[in-house]
Amino acid sequence: NAGVTQTPKFQVLKTGQSMTLQCAQDMNHNSMYWYRQDPGMGLRLIYYSASEGTTDKGEVPNGYNVSRLNKREFSLRLESAAPSQTSVYFCASTGRGTDTQYFGPGTRLTVL
Amino acid sequence: QKEVEQDPGPLSVPEGAIVSLNCTYSNSAFQYFMWYRQYSRKGPELLMYTYSSGNKEDGRFTAQVDKSSKYISLFIRDSQPSDSATYLCAMIEGGSYIPTFGRGTSLIVHP
């Protein structure tokens, strides 16, 4: 039982490049989330998926897109990376009937 | 003003001290309260979860909720250097999928 896994762990991009961050969970959770964490800003929700087949915007969705590929996987795409997207990105999931989130190890992204 | 306020610290204490970490909130609809611990360069991990006013104890950790004052606390007894981390409070409304996080308090326990 690996919990929530994220790939890659680190990534450096140039402005304008695109990339997809991958997240998978093996806990049969219904809801999945993408956050970014910046110094002094705490965790900010980018997008979430309450259940398979649905996605909704969070607090800071601009510049990102998501895909809930199936119940296990939820990906985050940056179409044209900007330096303001330099951050640590966390994926999380929640099971039905619970409110507690389980987090992945994070992806450290630098956009030059 | 953010819905959840948390002093960022850092809070530096000697080993063995009792630590008190706190959050205040303004949304009276919050029903569930959580504390997460985040080690440097790691993801947050759930430490404590409670949904009622009063105290909940788990080993050296005690979570306290005062809904009338909109104030929650996490107490750590006999603090250890391994407790050095950032502690995030989180709260959620009943029936919601989305928790609201505090910005985290950095705790340093020195030997």
Side-chain angles (χ1 to χ4, degrees), chain A residues 10 31 33 35 37 40 43 45 48 50 90 99-101 103-105 108, chain B residues 32 34 36 38 41-44 46 49 88 92 96-99 101 103:
Chain A
F10 303 93
S31 303
Y33 310 76
Y35 291 91
Q37 188 175 42
L43 285 164
L45 183 65
Y48 68 101
F90 289 103
D99 305 291
T100 55
Q101 294 187 324
F103 285 82
R108 294 185 171 274
Chain B
Y32 305 98
M34 293 149 278
Y36 287 83
Q38 185 176 21
R41 307 181 82 82
K42 301 287 187 184
L46 181 68
Y49 172 90
L88 301 111
I92 191 166
S96 172
Y97 295 104
I98 311 301
F101 285 88
R103 296 186 181 187

Side-chain angles (χ1 to χ4, degrees), chain A residues 54-104:
Chain A
T54 69
T55 60
D56 286 285
K57 295 178 180 179
E59 181 184 356
V60 288
N62 291 345
Y64 305 95
N65 285 299
V66 290
S67 295
R68 183 76 183 265
L69 304 169
N70 48 56
K71 192 171 186 179
R72 290 187 64 247
E73 298 173 288
F74 189 36
S75 63
L76 178 72
R77 182 158 179 85
L78 287 70
E79 290 291 352
S80 179
S84 61
Q85 294 178 305
T86 293
S87 187
V88 181
Y89 291 86
F90 289 103
C91 178
S93 69
T94 304
R96 187 192 298 274
T98 75
D99 305 291
T100 55
Q101 294 187 324
Y102 294 84
F103 285 82

Side-chain angles (χ1 to χ4, degrees), chain B:
Chain B
Q1 183 186 8
K2 277 182 70 74
E3 281 191 298
V4 178
E5 298 286 347
Q6 186 175 12
D7 189 327
L11 177 62
S12 181
V13 300
E15 183 176 355
I18 296 174
V19 175
S20 173
L21 303 165
N22 309 297
C23 288
T24 59
Y25 63 95
S26 56
N27 184 355
S28 57
F30 287 140
Q31 294 187 13
Y32 305 98
F33 304 89
M34 293 149 278
W35 285 96
Y36 287 83
R37 178 176 60 196
Q38 185 176 21
Y39 290 116
S40 180
R41 307 181 82 82
K42 301 287 187 184
E45 56 177 335
L46 181 68
L47 201 56
M48 299 283 285
Y49 172 90
T50 183
Y51 59 90
S52 60
S53 286
N55 294 352
K56 181 177 181 179
E57 193 172 314
D58 184 1
R60 296 185 296 111
F61 299 90
T62 299
Q64 185 176 80
V65 175
D66 183 345
K67 289 185 178 179
S68 61
S69 300
K70 298 189 180 66
Y71 189 91
I72 69 169
S73 299
L74 178 71
F75 297 97
I76 306 174
R77 289 184 299 281
D78 187 26
S79 56
Q80 302 295 310
S82 58
D83 294 326
S84 298
T86 296
Y87 291 80
L88 301 111
C89 62
M91 310 175 186
I92 191 166
E93 298 181 18
S96 172
Y97 295 104
I98 311 301
T100 300
F101 285 88
R103 296 186 181 187
T105 298
S106 174
L107 171 67
I108 301 166
V109 182
H110 51 87

